[in-house]
Amino acid sequence: MAQESQHRQPGSAPAPTLGFATRAVHAGEEADLREGATGDVVAAIHLATTYARKEVALPGRYEYVRSQNPTREALEVKLAALENARYGLAFSSGLAAETTLLLATLKAGDHIVAFDDLYGGTKRLFEQVFVSFGVEVSYVDATGALPVERALRPSTKMVWVESPTNPLLKLSDIRAIAQVTRRNGLILVVDNTFLSPYFQKPLDLGADVVVHSVTKYIGGHSDVLGGALLVNSEQHYEKLQYLQNSAGAVLSPFDSYLTLRGLKTLALRMERHQQNALAIAHFLEKHPKVSRVLYPGLESHPQHELAKAQASGFGGVLSFDLKGTVPDAENFLERLQVFTLAESLGGVESLIELPSQMTHASLEKAAREKIGITDTLIRLSAGIEDAADLVADLEQALA
Ligand SMILES: *Cc1c(COP(=O)(O)O)cnc(C)c1O
């Protein structure tokens, strides 16, 4: 296996014949047992920024760190193996991955149809940055395919969705939308950050590109900023690889190593995140001070059936409406002992936040409420602590 991996194209994954947890541990870092090799059982951190060659006209496999790095390549192989993708590319943040994708695929005059409930940073990238390069974006309710199809223009090149969305946990019907994008020759991008490849594999559902903020579940320990793109088309891969090097927003060797390390426990962590989220959702659903709980794993979620049809789990993020006012919500959040009051999600520690005052504070109140983000909507990311401690903490703070 070691020899084979040496000759594989950078970032390309072996066929997914082994189970997910096995691939999470082994893919991309098979021990090198050739004569003279160390046989390390984990990928080494290669810090060199440049690589020596014997002859002027004869570069080795590696030339310069931005272009190629063995630690980053090990991660790219592992990520591709986990998303059932042929190719993976790692970047210095989720937004760097998104920027590289847009630079590689769009030109002035091109149009994107995007889910109206997108991650705020992605919306800002579209509206404040790519608008200056002549890229146009229409936002639609992309829970189903019809609004997406209606918004298509002759200049449309790309459809961009997230499922589930943040913080409203709406789902996008990826299979149905993929039929529309296939029929019209468009690129379907799915941001898979919230479920991770453990629960959802958008390329298998017909998507062309998967985007990840590695910063969340993939890294998993709230200590790495990173991003990734996963594709099956060789043509897409070559363009993306060219821009990865030309624009230069690559993941560092050390962060690549931390991400490789985090990924080994992704299967275990996602199971526990989900167990804890379900326990919390059931507790909150019965609490008299809570008016609504949004979690795809609850039968009360309007798209619970779609969740079961396109993913193998529901993830670890949920939102709920607290009865009362902003000060009541602030008071509740500040009384929590086990939950940490912070933005972000996907780490081993449980995090909680108030979107109207924190992650989504830049939206006008009317615009926020129009899409369902009330003043007292609370989003939480269930960590991997004991469920009983998390529920007890919420209970005492609600009392
Ligand atoms: C955090 C996040 C991003 C952006 O990723 P960064 O790593 O912070 O740049 C994109 N999409 C989703 C869904 C996210 O949660």
Side-chain angles (χ1 to χ4, degrees), residues 93-95 98 119 122 162 191 193-194 213 215-216 225-226 345:
S93 71
L95 286 175
E98 297 183 12
Y119 174 72
T122 305
E162 260 173 59
D191 183 333
T193 300
F194 266 46
S213 169
T215 317
K216 314 296 165 54
L225 175 69
L345 57 109

Side-chain angles (χ1 to χ4, degrees), residues 244-322:
Q244 183 191 35
N245 181 46
S246 303
V250 294
L251 193 65
S252 78
F254 186 66
D255 288 336
S256 297
Y257 169 77
L258 284 176
T259 309
L260 280 163
R261 183 177 161 101
L263 272 173
K264 287 175 201 182
T265 54
L266 182 67
L268 295 170
R269 286 188 284 111
M270 292 313 294
E271 287 293 344
R272 182 61 167 253
H273 285 302
Q274 165 160 284
Q275 262 176 30
N276 287 352
L278 254 178
I280 292 167
H282 285 138
F283 163 75
L284 291 173
E285 237 187 354
K286 289 189 220 97
H287 201 283
K289 288 189 179 159
V290 173
S291 57
R292 160 176 90 141
V293 182
L294 303 172
Y295 181 59
L298 290 175
E299 278 172 25
S300 60
H301 190 283
Q303 296 171 293
H304 181 61
E305 291 308 314
L306 175 62
K308 288 195 287 187
Q310 72 180 11
S312 60
F314 313 109
V317 177
L318 63 90
S319 296
F320 61 99
D321 268 317
L322 197 69

Side-chain angles (χ1 to χ4, degrees), residues 335-340 349-350 385 389-390 393 396:
R335 288 168 57 123
L336 289 161
Q337 306 283 313
V338 181
F339 280 84
T340 303
E349 61 287 296
S350 291
E385 303 95 332
D389 291 336
L390 298 177
D393 194 29
Q396 65 79 19

Side-chain angles (χ1 to χ4, degrees), residues 229-243:
L229 298 175
L230 291 307
V231 294
N232 279 328
S233 145
E234 189 173 353
Q235 207 189 341
H236 278 160
Y237 176 63
E238 280 171 3
K239 271 195 201 158
L240 291 170
Q241 200 186 29
Y242 182 79
L243 259 298

